[in-house]
């Protein structure tokens, strides 16, 4: 989902493209606001990757109109791809990873990168402003490697077995 610098993944490419479109379309009467949040799900607990020192075990709630959301998850307003790139890099430093025989840095958690785009358009004729809001949740699932090939034992083996359990609770 993230990819190395020379072969960017879907999340950086989408964000780069988003800001290219914003730069191309923004005008005096058309404005855009982008907000992001970044979290991980590890051992059935939700953790804020933009504010890693904050609450552990954030609660998932359901709004009757907007649907599921994570209570107290921090959001950051960004104005460029460079802002997003910096936040992703900082968030990735806090992700739960471990070394296995198959991967030196195997992700042990699922990560969700949320984008919220608000488009505000002012109509000079009616003197009204209208807004459209779009949300995009980009999910990076933890790898599910065969336990026999990872060399995992004990707690690491149990952790591997629990990785996908988080998706069902």
């Amino acid at each position: 989902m993230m990819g190395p610098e020379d072969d960017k993944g879907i999340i950086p490419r989408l964000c780069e493209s988003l800001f290219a479109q914003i730069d191309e379309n923004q005008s005096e009467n058309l404005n855009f606001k982008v907000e992001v949040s970044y979290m991980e799900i590890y051992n059935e607990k939700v953790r804020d990757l933009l504010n890693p020192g904050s609450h552990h075990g954030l609660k998932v709630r359901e709004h009757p109109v907007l649907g599921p959301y994570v209570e107290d998850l921090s959001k950051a307003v960004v104005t460029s791809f460079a802002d997003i790139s910096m936040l992703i890099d900082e968030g990735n430093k806090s992700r739960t990873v471990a070394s296995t025989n198959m991967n030196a840095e195997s992700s042990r958690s699922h990560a969700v990168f949320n984008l919220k785009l608000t488009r505000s358009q002012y109509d000079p004729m009616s003197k009204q402003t209208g807004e459209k809001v779009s949300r995009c949740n980009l999910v990076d699932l933890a790898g599910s490697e065969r336990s026999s090939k990872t060399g995992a034992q004990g707690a690491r083996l149990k952790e591997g077995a629990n990785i996908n359990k988080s998706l069902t609770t």
Side-chain angles (χ1 to χ4, degrees), residues 139-166:
V139 181
D140 183 10
L141 296 174
S144 58
E145 303 147 340
R146 291 196 176 273
S147 59
S148 60
K149 293 186 179 185
T150 64
Q153 297 176 345
R156 184 73 58 227
L157 182 62
K158 185 177 178 183
E159 175 190 61
N162 284 331
I163 284 175
N164 290 327
K165 186 178 179 186
S166 297

Side-chain angles (χ1 to χ4, degrees), residues 29 122-128:
N29 295 326
Y122 176 72
D123 180 10
M125 297 288 282
S126 67
K127 296 185 178 10
Q128 298 284 322

Side-chain angles (χ1 to χ4, degrees), residues 19-99:
F19 279 101
Q21 289 294 313
I22 288 173
D23 291 343
E24 194 175 300
N25 291 294
Q26 194 148 300
S27 68
E28 186 178 323
N29 295 326
L30 184 61
N31 292 299
F32 298 89
K33 178 178 154 185
V34 180
E35 297 171 84
V36 299
S37 60
Y38 195 22
M39 66 181 140
E40 80 171 346
I41 304 168
Y42 173 68
N43 277 342
E44 301 182 54
K45 296 206 183 330
V46 179
R47 201 165 66 99
D48 190 338
L49 292 175
L50 296 184
N51 190 6
S54 69
H55 306 86
H56 291 294
L58 297 172
K59 303 281 187 220
V60 177
R61 304 281 188 213
E62 180 129 7
H63 187 276
V65 175
L66 301 175
Y69 69 96
V70 176
E71 191 174 50
D72 298 326
L73 182 65
S74 61
K75 295 179 186 98
V77 175
V78 292
T79 57
S80 67
F81 173 68
D83 290 348
I84 285 182
S85 187
M86 182 201 63
L87 289 172
I88 288 172
D89 288 346
E90 288 303 308
N92 284 343
K93 289 177 188 173
S94 299
R95 273 196 77 186
T96 305
V97 296
S99 179

